[in-house]
Amino acid sequence: MAALKAWIIGVFCAVLFTDSFTTAIVFPRDDIASVLGPQLSSGAQIVLSSNPDFGNATARWSLFDHPKFTAAVKVRTEEDVAATVRYANQNSIPFLAVVGTHGTIASLGKFNGIEILMHGLNSTVISKDGKTATFGGGKKSFQVIDDLWAAGKQTVSGICECTGYLGPALGGGHGVLQGKYGLIADQFISMRMVTADGVLRDVSASGPNSDLWWGMRGAGHNFGIVTSFTSKIYDVPYGGLWSHETFIFNRSKVEAVFDTINWLSTQQPPGMFNRDLIYRDPTKDPNNPVLEVDILEEGVSAVNSTFTDRFRALGPMSVTSSSGTYKDIPRWAGVGRHTAACKKKDFTKIRFPIGLISYNATALGALFDEFTKVTVPGSPFNRSEIMFEGYSQHGVREIPTDSTAFPDRADNQLVTIGTANSHDPGLDAQALKIGDSLRQILLDGSGSPDMHSYVNYAAGTESLQSMYGFEPWRLKKLKELKAKYDPHERFGYYAPIPV
Ligand SMILES: Cc1cc2nc3c(=O)[nH]c(=O)nc-3n(C[C@H](O)[C@H](O)[C@H](O)COP(=O)(O)OP(=O)(O)OC[C@H]3O[C@@H](n4cnc5c(N)ncnc54)[C@H](O)[C@@H]3O)c2cc1C
């Protein structure tokens, strides 16, 4: 009887499916267990909202405009992913691949459908020549780092240990090693993915879907669910040695510090990362925000004073330093797997990114002052922070700018205003206003009318050009790819490109 019911629903839906993806057809969502369940591999699991594990399976890093889920499918094989996409298509139900849950953008708020939880696709196979590795599409960053480290290898990965590996990579992907090797997406050799029609495809520079290869490296969330990928890997040099030096400054030094960071960015060797923060910490200053400057260098037991002397000379409130290995960097940066950055929480965080060639020190002073006002003690936004990422760019610049969908290879600095407040949707409009106005200070100071917004940090209020590039040919190319591979906009929830 169950089989007959499944067949009837399957046939009925298949007919509707060919007519329209947008027709609102409401089926009892627990049919997913009887219809999709038998098509999945033995290790896969369907978690319905009635299951005690449902909350855990669908928890998010930020509650800002978060996606709503009717069921979660914990896939174990690439065929599970394909079967789930086909089931969702046949029933006109949206689907969304999830790994690290850190994706936070207003367009996700429109999602209401099936979560495809990718963690079961977690294999790592290092090639015999040690130059590439093939990973499952559900890997988190720390899993890629750990698996390679055990073999004396490394590759470019996001700095936060618990984001998915691919979430960052599909939007380009910034990482500490990019100065040496390029962006995370620049490491891809090939990938296997399920496209909107539920078909598994191989995608690479020279394969049958080579046109998609360009789009997957910068706008990849728009075209498919990656089930596995092969990337370049490298021997760990210097025994993995890295050092960092951290300075804390007060308001009086802000302009001078950012002028010095401009100087640093012209000197940075490939194995260096500069990350700075403005935030409140009453143990450092009970009344005002502070500016933290972190300089990390590879292959040395203390950061070379050539790079730090100028910061010391500015008179910081404190200086600390230590050394360790590449694997310590997430912990130093406060985004290790045991830190708050990796906890799913009842918090609303929104990010407002802007890429810059260099800092306008006057604008940075104004930004600090405005941040001070909006985060006064007692404000619901007083746990907000502003992050400044100064990656070395040598490896990124070696890749021709038109060869991938990542648009912003010329920017030296990536600033992200991050508003944070206890979850209260009533505060969202205010948070969006605060973030937009703080970011506008930097745009006004940049001398450029174009807001470059790294797609993986975007709030969702930005224009398509802002996320995908201002050269008209970029959006034209992306829209053509979208029309070919996702004409019904099934991948229409994460920074979507409309057809
Ligand atoms: C604390 C923190 C630190 C961060 N650090 C960095 C960093 O160092 N470098 C950097 O570049 N970015 C960084 N980011 C931004 C990060 O790139 C995005 O937030 C990204 O969306 C996170 O991916 P996820 O898997 O964790 O999130 P998820 O919410 O699980 O996924 C985000 C989106 O990616 C898509 N997706 C996920 N898996 C797949 C797949 N297998 N195939 C196809 N599409 C898929 C889906 O559209 C999904 O909605 C950071 C974000 C946070 C919050």
Side-chain angles (χ1 to χ4, degrees), residues 354-377:
I354 176 169
L356 299 168
I357 301 290
S358 63
Y359 292 121
N360 171 337
T362 309
L364 266 297
L367 177 71
F368 191 101
D369 292 340
E370 205 49 39
F371 180 84
T372 305
K373 284 186 208 153
V374 297
T375 59
V376 283

Side-chain angles (χ1 to χ4, degrees), residues 29-245:
R29 297 291 155 99
D30 50 0
D31 273 1
I32 190 173
S34 55
V35 178
L36 177 61
Q39 301 175 44
L40 299 178
S41 66
S42 58
Q45 196 191 346
I46 296 172
V47 184
L48 300 176
S49 57
S50 53
N51 187 315
D53 185 34
F54 187 75
N56 193 32
T58 56
R60 306 286 304 172
W61 174 78
S62 166
L63 292 178
F64 169 63
D65 255 356
H66 59 90
K68 280 84 160 170
F69 298 109
T70 52
V73 181
K74 294 185 174 180
V75 294
R76 294 303 295 265
T77 65
E78 60 182 18
E79 288 81 12
D80 289 343
V81 179
T84 307
V85 168
R86 287 195 298 270
Y87 166 85
N89 284 343
Q90 286 159 4
N91 292 281
S92 293
I93 302 170
F95 56 84
L96 186 72
V98 169
V99 179
T101 82
H102 284 57
T104 304
I105 185 165
S107 50
L108 280 176
K110 299 190 181 80
F111 182 87
N112 189 349
I114 298 170
E115 178 184 48
I116 303 182
L117 209 45
M118 300 286 292
H119 301 154
L121 298 177
N122 63 0
S123 57
T124 299
V125 179
I126 296 177
S127 67
K128 281 204 178 101
D129 67 7
K131 292 186 175 162
T132 64
T134 300
F135 303 98
K139 283 276 201 211
K140 291 192 181 177
S141 268
F142 78 84
Q143 294 171 318
V144 168
I145 293 169
D146 285 2
D147 290 356
L148 292 181
W149 192 261
K153 301 285 180 184
Q154 62 184 15
T155 191
V156 188
S157 50
I159 192 169
C160 179
E161 287 198 299
C162 53
T163 65
Y165 186 81
L166 280 173
L170 296 175
H174 289 289
V176 170
L177 296 177
Q178 71 175 54
K180 299 178 71 175
Y181 310 123
L183 299 169
I184 307 178
D186 297 335
Q187 312 313 310
F188 287 146
I189 302 283
S190 63
M191 54 183 68
R192 205 161 149 73
M193 59 193 267
V194 176
T195 43
D197 49 6
V199 173
L200 269 161
R201 296 174 198 270
D202 291 306
V203 179
S204 65
S206 55
N209 307 295
S210 55
D211 52 351
L212 198 47
W213 183 238
W214 178 84
M216 290 307 290
R217 294 168 299 149
H221 315 88
N222 268 280
F223 300 110
I225 301 179
V226 180
T227 54
S228 66
F229 60 98
T230 300
S231 281
K232 295 179 202 162
I233 60 171
Y234 309 90
D235 291 333
V236 173
Y238 315 110
L241 181 65
W242 277 78
S243 294
H244 81 95
E245 195 150 319

Side-chain angles (χ1 to χ4, degrees), residues 249-255 288-290 364-366 368-369 372:
F249 293 95
N250 63 20
R251 166 65 184 95
S252 67
K253 307 293 163 55
V254 168
E255 286 86 351
N288 298 296
V290 293
L364 266 297
F368 191 101
D369 292 340
T372 305

Side-chain angles (χ1 to χ4, degrees), residues 229-295:
F229 60 98
T230 300
S231 281
K232 295 179 202 162
I233 60 171
Y234 309 90
D235 291 333
V236 173
Y238 315 110
L241 181 65
W242 277 78
S243 294
H244 81 95
E245 195 150 319
T246 294
F247 304 87
I248 304 291
F249 293 95
N250 63 20
R251 166 65 184 95
S252 67
K253 307 293 163 55
V254 168
E255 286 86 351
V257 168
F258 280 98
D259 275 338
T260 310
I261 292 171
N262 281 338
W263 165 82
L264 180 69
S265 83
T266 65
Q267 309 294 314
Q268 273 178 240
M272 179 167 278
F273 175 46
N274 162 229
R275 198 280 309 256
D276 317 302
L277 293 168
I278 294 176
Y279 58 94
R280 283 185 182 269
D281 178 348
T283 65
K284 295 184 174 118
D285 184 325
N287 302 313
N288 298 296
V290 293
L291 168 58
E292 174 178 324
V293 173
D294 300 311
I295 303 173

